[in-house]
Amino acid sequence: MNFDSLQNWISNYERPFLVAGPCSAENEEQLHTIATQLATQKVDLFRAGIWKPRTRPGSFEGVGVKGIQWLGNIKRDFGFRVTCEVANAFHVETCLANGIDVLWIGARTSVNPFTVQEIAEAIRGTGIPVMIKNPVSPDINLWQGAIERIVTSGSEKVIAIHRGFSSFEKSKYRNQPMWEIPIELKRRIPAIPMICDPSHICGNRTGLQTVAQKAMDLNFDGLMIETHHEPDQALSDRQQQVTPSRLKELVDSLILRHATSDNELFNISLEELRELIDKQDSELIKLLKDRMDLIERIGEFKRENNITILQPERWNEIVTSRTDWASEIDLSAEFILRVFQQVHQESIRKQMEVFELKEENGKM
Ligand code: PEP
Ligand code: MN
């Protein structure tokens, strides 16, 4: 689909476009205290969830509709633009009726095309900006699909939020960043503004700076960071929220790099290095083609001699030797393993093709 209508409306803001505020609105005083502390620093959008999608029942599920008025008061008293999470048409209507400036669709909602479509219908014709978090599962098409549904409903001001992906494996992250997914989304939809939510990626305070810096180095447009005046007392996500003063330190210590340079010498040197890379990539592709031709010959040979395509000992030997060779020359063994898994998968596919083709010809 065509994304020509998309506007990078946050490019007018000084980078990073910053969304801050608590995970949840808890009471009016809490929101007011946080807003007072944030009012002295650069915050472009004030966030607070009033309907909270909690993983298990029984935990704090948000204050509901009464919180919308509190957010309206924050907007009136501090001049912040305000944003709230929506997960159905009723939430959208409530936000629209109460002057909420920006909506966001959470990770547990963007995973469901029915719900995203319901939200898309509810915002049709309103022009309200919508931020769309990646779905909990690492499915780029689902994320792209959610964006397409919202853009199709006429919304030009859409932002993608990268908040990491759920996984069964234990790791230092609450949600795996899998940076390759937002990078691929940006390749598919270059016009989409992209912000990173280090809070939900890390699930703790200690990793935030590193993840936020990484997002800046990958040229993300902004950050969403959960902020609470007393994080340890928060009713949701207390381990990951930071105080407004810690937020300021974090943002002030970010190193902001440029996407391009007008230094001619730098541009010429970069161009030369890229030409070298182009040459090597072209050789790499020719080598892979030569390897695949050999695979075809092996496939024919196996078939003629009634030998199976897969021989686990040989595959095992390839894995061991190739990762050893890589380690010897200081190349990541893990990376080479991933490369050879792909190469091996293609080799098997190719040999199956050889087997099937010969069998079909044999029948004729
Ligand atoms: C949130 O931002 O508080 C939230 C619920 O996020 P996510 O949808 O990323 O889990
Ligand atoms: Mn949260």
Side-chain angles (χ1 to χ4, degrees), residues 220-347:
F220 277 54
D221 300 277
L223 298 168
M224 176 190 259
I225 298 181
E226 288 186 337
T227 323
H228 195 289
H229 66 303
E230 286 178 323
D232 288 334
Q233 314 304 324
L235 297 183
S236 60
D237 286 352
R238 65 172 64 135
Q239 277 143 341
Q240 68 197 33
Q241 303 205 58
V242 288
T243 58
S245 62
R246 175 64 200 122
L247 176 74
K248 181 165 176 7
E249 273 170 26
L250 189 156
V251 174
D252 286 349
S253 29
L254 287 173
I255 303 166
L256 296 178
R257 300 181 167 92
H258 306 283
T260 54
S261 164
D262 40 25
N263 177 332
E264 217 166 297
L265 207 62
F266 164 81
N267 284 331
I268 291 172
S269 309
L270 183 65
E271 209 38 58
E272 281 171 5
L273 287 170
R274 283 181 171 163
E275 274 171 26
L276 288 176
I277 292 279
D278 288 349
K279 224 181 264 165
Q280 284 185 347
D281 283 352
S282 140
E283 277 165 29
L284 209 57
I285 289 169
K286 280 188 210 126
L287 270 177
L288 285 170
K289 163 76 177 133
D290 290 348
R291 193 187 191 282
M292 224 34 92
D293 289 347
L294 273 176
I295 291 295
E296 214 171 319
R297 280 173 55 194
I298 289 187
E300 276 162 16
F301 200 48
K302 282 184 188 163
R303 200 203 142 265
E304 279 158 19
N305 291 279
N306 244 350
I307 301 291
T308 56
I309 292 177
L310 183 66
Q311 271 125 31
E313 320 78 60
R314 169 65 179 156
W315 170 229
N316 203 12
E317 180 202 316
I318 290 183
V319 168
T320 313
S321 57
R322 276 44 166 184
T323 49
D324 282 352
W325 297 344
S327 303
E328 278 162 22
I329 55 170
D330 223 8
L331 198 60
S332 154
E334 197 191 310
F335 162 62
I336 286 302
L337 174 62
R338 269 186 278 128
V339 170
F340 272 88
Q341 278 167 336
Q342 290 296 320
V343 168
H344 187 244
Q345 204 175 317
E346 178 62 10
S347 302

Side-chain angles (χ1 to χ4, degrees), residues 84-265:
C84 183
E85 175 171 354
V86 292
N88 58 39
F90 168 72
H91 295 168
V92 173
E93 281 146 21
T94 308
C95 286
L96 288 172
N98 287 277
I100 300 300
D101 299 287
V102 177
L103 306 177
W104 96 76
I105 299 179
R108 290 164 193 75
T109 304
S110 61
V111 82
N112 184 340
F114 289 129
T115 316
V116 175
Q117 192 58 40
E118 176 183 325
I119 293 171
E121 300 308 334
I123 61 161
R124 192 179 290 281
T126 64
I128 190 162
V130 184
M131 306 191 285
I132 307 173
K133 290 206 180 193
N134 65 255
V136 278
S137 50
D139 184 339
I140 187 170
N141 292 327
L142 212 45
W143 196 6
Q144 181 175 345
I147 293 167
E148 286 170 346
R149 286 177 197 278
I150 299 298
V151 172
T152 305
S153 78
S155 188
E156 295 171 343
K157 295 180 175 172
V158 174
I159 294 181
I161 303 182
H162 169 229
R163 53 78 78 194
F165 302 89
S166 178
S167 138
F168 185 62
E169 274 164 42
K170 283 239 170 315
S171 105
K172 64 176 175 174
Y173 297 111
R174 177 178 175 193
N175 291 291
Q176 308 297 319
M178 304 178 91
W179 295 98
E180 63 278 14
I181 296 181
I183 291 171
E184 171 62 10
L185 187 79
K186 189 75 188 167
R187 190 191 66 77
R188 293 186 187 180
I189 317 177
I192 192 122
M194 175 89 71
I195 73 179
C196 178
D197 170 351
S199 306
H200 290 88
I201 290 178
C202 295
N204 61 49
R205 291 186 261 281
T206 46
L208 296 180
Q209 183 86 49
T210 312
V211 170
Q213 183 62 54
K214 220 174 210 172
M216 290 299 99
D217 290 344
L218 289 170
N219 207 22
F220 277 54
D221 300 277
L223 298 168
M224 176 190 259
I225 298 181
E226 288 186 337
T227 323
H228 195 289
H229 66 303
E230 286 178 323
D232 288 334
Q233 314 304 324
L235 297 183
S236 60
D237 286 352
R238 65 172 64 135
Q239 277 143 341
Q240 68 197 33
Q241 303 205 58
V242 288
T243 58
S245 62
R246 175 64 200 122
L247 176 74
K248 181 165 176 7
E249 273 170 26
L250 189 156
V251 174
D252 286 349
S253 29
L254 287 173
I255 303 166
L256 296 178
R257 300 181 167 92
H258 306 283
T260 54
S261 164
D262 40 25
N263 177 332
E264 217 166 297
L265 207 62

